[in-house]
């Protein structure tokens, strides 16, 4: 079974407006509320690709109930730890006249140690034929060091661990050999204490270093420059298709979910990367998650370059 884990889910409100001016009422032209959180997005993508999965997470209040209701409606099993407080609502605004994008992200509820232990107890049930995908930020009260505890549990229980989060504590999981890491270039800057955002060449070097320290595969998001896959087979760079970005918030989640699904279906690393980049771009070109209808066309625009 594939499990996703979202430790700070959200309802995301996407709006479009012609202008965003202070001290006046700004009328919107379009709005859409979606159940969200990076792991939840991965669950949605896996479900769209016919990969059965279960969404794990922590949350509370009517907003979390809405998220669980949406998961149920879409046929995705879920098992959340319920906490006091209210799961957050985030706002993403696009100003059409200026092409500016504003992202207003709330912190979410506090998760105490008892609830974290309840979550870890759920994870203890995972076995060698399972995969856990941890995505996104953590709610207040959850120390990023929990990543190391989960990685140690994965090594003990022998389930595959995939990590997509910005915390520097990801580096502490490498000794437990996670199956896949999915950083972007800015996260690599943080993890390696760089004074600049690494370029593509530097990202290749850093991806190789992550593998040398224990990661089995590293999928690096490069935004408009595409993505890199660093694995035992070498390094592959895929370019990004051309298009107009509408909302980039969920593009990385789409890339990750599509890559995992493609690998599970037995596609090669090359084809998995192409599909992942095309799907991520499709999401970036729309207000919500891709419906995959344009992915075959976008995939033709992805150019691969191999490195040793």
């Amino acid at each position: 079974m594939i499990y996703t884990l979202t430790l700070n889910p959200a309802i995301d409100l996407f709006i479009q407006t012609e202008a965003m001016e202070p001290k006046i009422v700004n009328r919107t032209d379009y709005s859409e509320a979606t159940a969200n959180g990076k792991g939840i997005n991965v669950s949605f993508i896996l479900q769209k690709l016919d990969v059965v999965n279960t969404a794990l997470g922590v949350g509370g209040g009517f907003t979390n109930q809405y998220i669980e209701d949406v998961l149920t409606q879409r046929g995705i099993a879920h098992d959340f730890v319920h906490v006091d407080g209210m799961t957050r609502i985030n706002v993403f605004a696009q100003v059409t006249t200026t092409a500016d994008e504003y992202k207003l992200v709330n912190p979410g509820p506090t998760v105490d140690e008892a609830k974290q232990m309840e979550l870890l107890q759920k994870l203890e049930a995972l076995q060698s034929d399972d995969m856990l995908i941890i995505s996104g930020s953590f709610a207040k009260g959850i120390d990023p060091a929990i990543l190391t505890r989960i990685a140690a549990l994965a090594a003990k229980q022998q389930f595959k661990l995939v990590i997509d989060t910005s915390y520097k504590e990801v580096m502490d999981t490498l000794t437990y050999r996670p199956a896949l890491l999915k950083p972007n270039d800015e996260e690599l800057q943080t993890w390696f204490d760089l004074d600049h955002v690494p370029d593509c060449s530097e990202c290749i070097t850093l991806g190789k270093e992550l593998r040398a320290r224990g990661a089995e595969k590293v999928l690096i998001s490069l935004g408009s420059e595409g993505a890199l896959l660093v694995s035992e087979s070498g390094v592959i760079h895929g370019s990004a298709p051309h298009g107009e970005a509408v909302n980039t918030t969920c593009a990385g989640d789409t890339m990750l979910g599509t890559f995992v699904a493609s690998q599970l279906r037995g596609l090669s690393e090359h084809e998995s990367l192409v599909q992942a980049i095309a799907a991520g771009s499709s999401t970036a070109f729309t207000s919500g998650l891709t419906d995959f209808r344009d992915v075959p066309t976008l995939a033709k625009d992805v150019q691969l370059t191999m490195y040793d």
Side-chain angles (χ1 to χ4, degrees):
M1 173 61 73
I2 311 301
Y3 295 87
T4 65
L5 177 57
T6 307
L7 292 175
N8 202 12
I11 293 176
D12 281 357
L13 175 63
F14 297 93
I15 64 173
Q16 284 184 340
T17 181
E18 287 188 4
M20 185 76 75
E21 301 291 343
K23 300 180 181 180
I24 67 169
V25 175
N26 294 281
R27 301 291 181 183
T28 62
D29 302 315
Y30 170 82
S31 66
E32 179 182 0
T34 62
N36 219 308
K38 293 178 69 65
I40 290 168
N41 289 333
V42 173
S43 277
F44 289 149
I45 291 298
L46 291 172
Q47 188 267 347
K48 287 172 180 281
L49 294 171
D50 298 320
V51 176
V52 176
N53 70 95
T54 296
L56 306 177
V58 294
F62 76 93
T63 44
N64 190 75
Q65 186 59 55
Y66 171 79
I67 291 171
E68 293 191 45
D69 289 345
V70 171
L71 288 166
T72 298
Q73 292 165 9
R74 299 193 187 182
I76 299 173
H78 50 86
D79 188 7
F80 276 58
V81 173
H82 295 136
V83 301
D84 294 332
M86 190 179 78
T87 290
R88 60 195 177 138
I89 300 175
N90 299 324
V91 180
F92 300 91
Q94 184 184 41
V95 182
T96 55
T97 55
T98 63
D100 290 328
E101 186 179 14
Y102 297 90
K103 303 178 181 182
L104 308 177
V105 178
N106 290 306
T110 298
V111 181
D112 62 26
E113 182 64 24
K115 293 298 184 179
Q116 294 177 49
M117 289 305 299
E118 184 178 339
L119 171 66
L120 291 171
Q121 287 171 3
K122 292 180 184 294
L123 300 183
E124 288 176 357
L126 274 60
Q127 301 296 327
S128 59
D129 56 348
D130 295 322
M131 175 186 290
L132 177 65
I133 303 172
I134 304 175
S135 296
S137 64
F138 299 169
K140 291 181 293 184
I142 301 180
D143 191 316
I146 197 173
L147 285 168
T148 308
R149 297 166 72 180
I150 295 173
L153 182 61
K156 177 183 176 183
Q157 301 291 100
Q158 297 186 321
F159 60 82
K160 293 181 177 63
L161 180 61
V162 177
I163 303 174
D164 178 15
T165 187
S166 60
Y167 299 110
K168 193 173 180 179
E169 284 78 0
V170 171
M171 301 295 284
D172 298 328
T173 70
L174 293 174
T175 187
Y176 298 105
R177 298 191 60 78
L180 175 66
L181 302 182
K182 199 209 76 64
N184 58 34
D185 48 3
E186 293 181 351
E187 288 165 343
L188 290 177
Q189 177 187 4
T190 298
W191 294 359
F192 286 95
D193 294 317
L194 302 180
D195 60 4
H196 63 282
V197 178
D199 60 20
C200 183
S201 177
E202 291 172 303
C203 285
I204 291 174
T205 300
L206 298 175
K208 288 181 177 180
E209 178 62 22
L210 290 170
R211 270 201 26 87
R213 297 191 191 186
E216 293 184 21
K217 296 181 181 180
V218 184
L219 178 62
I220 304 173
S221 301
L222 298 175
S224 61
E225 294 186 29
L228 290 163
L229 178 64
V230 185
S231 72
E232 183 180 14
S233 302
V235 180
I236 313 170
H237 174 258
S239 64
H242 299 291
E244 182 179 353
V246 174
N247 173 48
T248 60
T249 304
C250 305
D253 309 331
T254 302
M255 176 185 290
L256 177 58
T258 303
F259 182 82
V260 169
S262 298
Q263 290 280 273
L264 290 172
R265 293 205 307 266
L267 297 184
S268 69
E269 290 183 346
H270 295 72
E271 185 60 26
S272 295
L273 182 60
V274 169
Q275 292 298 309
I277 293 173
S281 297
S282 176
T283 286
F285 299 159
T286 186
S287 61
L289 293 175
T290 179
D291 59 12
F292 285 92
R293 285 184 292 183
D294 61 348
V295 168
T297 300
L298 292 172
K300 295 176 182 178
D301 202 20
V302 178
Q303 302 298 317
L304 297 184
T305 303
M306 272 64 73
Y307 302 89
D308 293 331

